[in-house]
Amino acid sequence: MAPEIIPRGGLRKLPIQQPEMTPPSEYGIGSLGPDSWSMGSIMLCEKVDRSAAVEAITTWEDSDGTWCLRYRDTPLTATTTPPGDSDVNRTYFCGNAAAMWLISPNVLCKVKGWIPGVTPEAETIKWVAENCPNIPIPNIIYSWIDPAWQRSFCLMNVVPGVTLDDAWNKLSNEERTAIADEVVTHIIDMVQHTSPKICTVTGTGITFHGWILGSAEPEMEGAHAHNWQPDLHPIITPEELDRRLLLITGQKSPEEVDHFVFFHGDLAPVNIFLDKDKNDKWHVSSIIDWETAGFLPKWYIRTIAGVCPAYLLDLYRNEWKEALTWAVKLTSSLGKHGFPEYWQWLRDSVHNPPKPQVFFPRPSE
C-alpha cells in the first residue's frame, strides 16, 4: 500500500489563542551594530581582536575574523525592551516559538522556547555525535539556557549543501532512491540504541509526537496558558503507551512493544541537507532539527513517514502527487530493511477518534 498523507484533524481541537513568549521569540536576538549582537537576557556576541577575547565564554574563527560570546554586565529582565534590531539577518521565524539568525558568515544561532524538563536540541546532537558518529549533524559551537526569557540558544556552523526539498527536483529517480537508502542507513544506526521507556537521550520526557502520545493538558480553561510551550510528556512505559492509545484512538499499539528505539522524529525534506562529493555525486551532508528526537516505538518510524504532512515536499513547487515522492521513496526503503508500517491503523485512528478532546497531565517539575 502506498503512503497517503492525511490531516491531523480530530486528535486535538483548541480555540485560537496565541499568547507570546515574553519578549516574543522574534526578539530573542538583536543586532547592536555591524559586528555586535545582543542574545537573550544574559549574553553579548561581538567580533574582536584575538587578544581582546580573554574574558569570552567561547570564541570562533570565521572568514571575517574572530568572534566571541560573553556575559553582559547586567542581565535584562523579561519585561525589558530587547535592545538592537532583531530583523537583521533573521533567517527563520516560526510562529511564536522559534527563530534563527546568521551571526557571522558561517555561524547561525537557533533560539527555541524552553520550559523546565525539556531536553535542549543541542544535548541530543551531542549525544548523536558520541553514539552515532557516522550520522552527519550540525557542528555546535556553544549552547545555553536562558531561564529568564524561557528559551534555549544554540550557536552552530552553517551546514553545507542545500535542503533535500530544494534539491529534489534536480535528482534523477536513481539518485532519489540512493538518497532515501542513505537516510535509512542512518536510521538503522539510530535504532541500534534502545530504552525501556519513551524518553529523550537525557532521560526526560519527549515533546510533540501527538499522533501517538496525545496532547498535554491545557493549563487554563479552554486553551494553553502559553501555547508556545511544547507538549512535554512524562516518561512513558509500554503499558502507559497502550493506555494513551486506547483513550486517543480506541486501539492498542499495533505491535506488542517491550522497548523503544532511538529516532530523529522528523525526517522532513527540509531537515535533510544534500551536497555533492568530489565525484559530483549527491550525498546526505547533514541532518538537522533534532528537537523531537527520542526513544519511540519502531513501528512508528515508517508509519509516521507515510502519513505525516511534514514529509511532503513543498506544495508551492510541486503538484500533490510529486509532493508525496519523498515519503514514497523513504517508506519504500524502510520497507526493504524490515521496518513495519501501520498506515491503515493510523488513518483509522485519526479519522475515527472516540474521544477527540483527550488531554494528559504535564509532568510535574
Side-chain angles (χ1 to χ4, degrees):
M1 182 186 297
E4 175 190 346
I5 305 294
I6 56 176
R8 295 183 63 171
L11 284 185
R12 179 182 183 191
K13 297 179 180 179
L14 288 176
I16 297 175
Q17 181 172 348
Q18 299 189 347
E20 292 185 330
M21 304 170 75
T22 304
S25 60
E26 66 267 36
Y27 299 109
I29 291 178
S31 172
L32 302 174
D35 301 319
S36 181
W37 298 87
S38 172
M39 294 185 164
S41 71
I42 56 176
M43 296 290 192
L44 292 172
C45 179
E46 54 202 354
K47 190 168 72 172
V48 296
D49 292 332
R50 187 187 299 269
S51 59
V54 291
E55 295 184 358
I57 299 168
T58 190
T59 64
W60 69 90
E61 296 294 324
D62 213 327
S63 59
D64 63 343
T66 302
W67 287 79
C68 79
L69 181 74
R70 63 179 177 83
Y71 288 112
R72 62 169 72 247
D73 294 333
T74 304
L76 305 177
T77 67
T79 57
T80 303
T81 300
D85 186 347
S86 63
D87 290 329
V88 174
N89 287 6
R90 189 171 61 220
T91 62
Y92 173 78
F93 173 43
C94 180
N96 53 13
M100 187 179 294
W101 285 262
L102 185 68
I103 302 301
S104 66
N106 294 289
V107 172
L108 292 162
C109 189
K110 184 175 183 179
V111 183
K112 286 285 297 182
W114 174 87
I115 57 175
V118 169
T119 294
E121 179 186 8
E123 293 301 312
T124 302
I125 292 176
K126 292 173 186 176
W127 184 93
V128 174
E130 294 174 2
N131 293 278
C132 305
N134 293 324
I135 297 178
I137 52 177
N139 178 59
I140 294 175
I141 296 171
Y142 191 78
S143 64
W144 71 98
I145 299 294
D146 190 330
W149 281 20
Q150 294 184 284
R151 62 201 79 191
S152 63
F153 291 75
C154 183
L155 284 163
M156 64 182 79
N157 289 110
V158 174
V159 300
V162 296
T163 67
L164 184 151
D165 199 39
D166 288 332
W168 192 251
N169 289 335
K170 304 173 187 175
L171 306 181
S172 67
N173 185 59
E174 291 74 19
E175 288 173 323
R176 292 177 177 186
T177 299
I179 291 299
D181 289 344
E182 185 179 355
V183 170
V184 170
T185 64
H186 296 315
I187 296 174
I188 291 171
D189 276 353
M190 297 177 206
V191 303
Q192 304 309 306
H193 302 274
T194 63
S195 167
K197 299 177 181 180
I198 294 179
C199 61
T200 67
V201 296
T202 63
T204 64
I206 65 170
T207 57
F208 305 102
H209 300 296
W211 291 92
I212 59 170
L213 300 181
S215 297
E217 187 175 27
E219 296 179 347
M220 58 182 278
E221 186 66 27
H224 285 289
H226 304 288
N227 88 316
W228 57 265
Q229 295 184 357
D231 274 347
L232 176 60
H233 300 282
I235 296 169
I236 293 173
T237 63
E239 295 75 20
E240 171 63 12
L241 175 61
D242 269 345
R243 187 183 77 84
R244 287 182 170 229
L245 288 173
L246 277 171
L247 288 170
I248 299 167
T249 71
Q251 305 179 82
K252 287 187 176 182
S253 173
E255 284 188 356
E256 186 172 339
V257 174
D258 60 7
H259 70 276
F260 302 98
V261 298
F262 180 69
F263 177 52
H264 175 278
D266 183 13
L267 290 173
V270 295
N271 289 338
I272 299 167
F273 275 70
L274 307 184
D275 204 359
K276 288 189 174 183
D277 61 20
K278 61 183 179 181
N279 297 316
D280 204 36
K281 180 181 178 181
W282 287 102
H283 67 99
V284 177
S285 58
S286 191
I287 298 175
I288 67 169
D289 281 5
W290 292 83
E291 61 207 38
T292 64
F295 295 93
L296 292 156
K298 187 175 181 178
W299 59 258
Y300 181 69
I301 297 172
R302 187 179 175 204
T303 301
I304 198 65
V307 298
C308 180
Y311 286 73
L312 286 171
L313 295 161
D314 188 350
L315 283 167
Y316 287 103
R317 290 183 294 200
N318 299 280
E319 297 294 330
W320 178 255
K321 185 176 180 180
E322 179 65 17
L324 287 166
T325 50
W326 166 239
V328 171
K329 287 291 187 183
L330 180 60
T331 55
S332 175
S333 184
L334 285 165
K336 288 186 298 185
H337 289 85
F339 285 79
E341 57 84 4
Y342 293 97
W343 297 322
Q344 190 59 53
W345 175 90
L346 193 52
R347 275 194 290 270
D348 291 345
S349 300
V350 172
H351 289 308
N352 303 294
K355 296 180 180 180
Q357 200 76 17
V358 174
F359 297 100
F360 297 93
R362 294 172 179 268
S364 58
E365 295 182 15

